[in-house]
Amino acid sequence: MVETRLIDGKAFAEGLRKRVASDVTAFHAATGVTPGLAVVLVGEDPASAVYVRNKGKQTVEAGMASIEHKLPATTTQAELLALIAALNAEKDVHGILVQLPLPGHIDAQAVLATIDPAKDVDGFHVVNAGRLAVGLDALVPCTPLGCVMLLKDRLGSLSGLEAVVVGRSNIVGKPLAQLLLREDCTVTIAHSRTRDLPEVCRRADILIGAVGRPEMIRGAWIKPGATVIDVGINRVDKPGGGTRLVGDVAFDEAQGIAGAITPVPGGVGPMTIACLLQNTLTAARRQLGA
Ligand code: GUN
């Protein structure tokens, strides 16, 4: 039986936000420019509204400008594309983020394709996905970037380790696999059609849950001593009424088996916005050649 360590993403993210804020101060002193992040929210999704509010607050706390565009759910795709074209041309905007999901009548891929790749701080544009895949400098999706930071902080070098990523989304699973490959891991992407998923997971020195299914990954699927990163944030009903947040990994079952694990909440979640702030500064630096 191993003692399972908790990976404190909340504390790590706080430190990262402070480092970004001090880099923003130095950048401003050198260039006279304040990095600007434009966030576009279409519709009334309550979870998205919370994210956008937190992003705006933390952007300002890091010394950057937050430009918010809140549009009604009835916004047409043409109107949204016109706004993005204007933000692409706006020199005070260095990063553009379109909050997902978008209403059903809007083609998200068409919208993401319109964002200037140099301002694509989410790293969702095919140019950035392609640059990451071939090993060029890219703006990298924030949640996967946060996962790899936590892993390197905990493990040092990841070289030669077996990593299993459960989930193949464009936002997390696929870019995370690319980042782990860049760290010289042996990478498996598992998903809903994977045969004998428990056995595949038991190979992992690094096991990532990124499927969005509450507590799907059981304690018995974890190799003793493995480092477990739980990207899932699932709201489930409590027996006595009310709701609580759980990850994709059965956290209690992992105790005494995993070497270390991220909690939900307080693990990967806080890293996403911290990495977004870092990407915004990176984008501003590249646009100014600074
Ligand atoms: N919706 C949920 N997570 C994200 C994210 O990281 N970026 C964007 N744009 N939308 C999201």
Side-chain angles (χ1 to χ4, degrees):
M1 175 121 160
V2 297
E3 194 200 329
T4 301
R5 300 269 296 270
L6 211 59
I7 299 175
D8 188 347
K10 189 162 174 267
F12 192 97
E14 251 171 54
L16 178 56
R17 291 202 307 272
K18 284 199 183 121
R19 285 199 294 282
V20 172
S22 102
D23 290 351
V24 166
T25 305
F27 175 81
H28 185 267
T31 63
V33 171
T34 301
L37 171 62
V39 176
V40 180
L41 173 63
V42 185
E44 316 286 332
D45 179 58
S48 291
V50 173
Y51 287 141
V52 166
R53 203 166 47 240
N54 286 336
K55 278 172 197 164
K57 186 167 165 277
Q58 293 182 25
T59 302
V60 171
E61 280 169 9
M64 301 195 266
S66 170
I67 303 106
E68 285 182 19
H69 289 269
K70 293 186 179 155
L71 308 178
T74 51
T75 302
T76 65
Q77 184 162 320
E79 287 167 334
L80 184 53
L81 294 183
L83 171 60
I84 292 171
L87 295 172
N88 282 340
E90 174 56 67
K91 78 171 179 20
D92 294 337
V93 169
H94 304 93
I96 301 170
L97 179 150
V98 177
Q99 184 66 29
L100 302 178
L102 287 166
H105 65 279
I106 294 177
D107 175 355
Q109 281 305 329
V111 171
L112 297 178
T114 308
I115 298 173
D116 178 351
K119 297 188 176 186
D120 170 37
V121 284
D122 256 331
F124 293 165
H125 194 288
V126 289
V127 165
N128 280 313
R131 291 179 68 88
L132 174 63
V134 299
L136 293 171
D137 270 349
L139 286 165
V140 174
C142 305
T143 301
L145 190 56
C147 292
V148 171
M149 282 183 193
L150 292 178
L151 283 167
K152 287 172 81 168
D153 181 58
R154 159 96 197 138
L155 297 169
S157 168
L158 310 184
S159 180
L161 296 178
E162 283 272 356
V164 174
V165 181
V166 187
R168 56 177 157 179
S169 70
N170 291 335
I171 294 181
V172 182
K174 283 186 219 165
L176 182 49
Q178 294 290 357
L179 286 175
L180 291 167
L181 202 52
R182 202 167 77 176
E183 297 298 328
D184 298 322
C185 290
T186 302
V187 183
T188 302
I189 304 183
H191 47 78
S192 54
R193 302 287 171 90
T194 296
R195 257 186 262 156
D196 202 353
L197 184 58
E199 199 49 45
V200 171
C201 290
R202 275 191 285 269
R203 289 209 301 258
D205 303 306
I206 294 170
L207 179 59
I208 317 264
V211 265
R213 297 245 218 131
E215 301 183 318
M216 187 187 90
I217 298 171
R218 315 303 309 201
W221 302 12
I222 299 170
K223 174 174 161 176
T227 303
V228 180
I229 303 287
D230 193 347
V231 181
I233 302 178
N234 310 289
R235 193 166 284 285
V236 297
D237 291 331
K238 280 201 286 201
T243 61
R244 66 187 180 110
L245 291 180
V246 298
D248 290 350
V249 180
F251 183 83
D252 292 344
E253 292 180 11
Q255 301 306 311
I257 305 172
I261 187 168
T262 57
V264 177
V268 173
M271 293 297 292
T272 299
I273 296 180
C275 289
L276 173 69
L277 303 178
Q278 188 182 64
N279 277 355
T280 303
L281 176 59
T282 300
R285 277 189 180 133
R286 288 184 188 158
Q287 282 159 50
L288 273 84

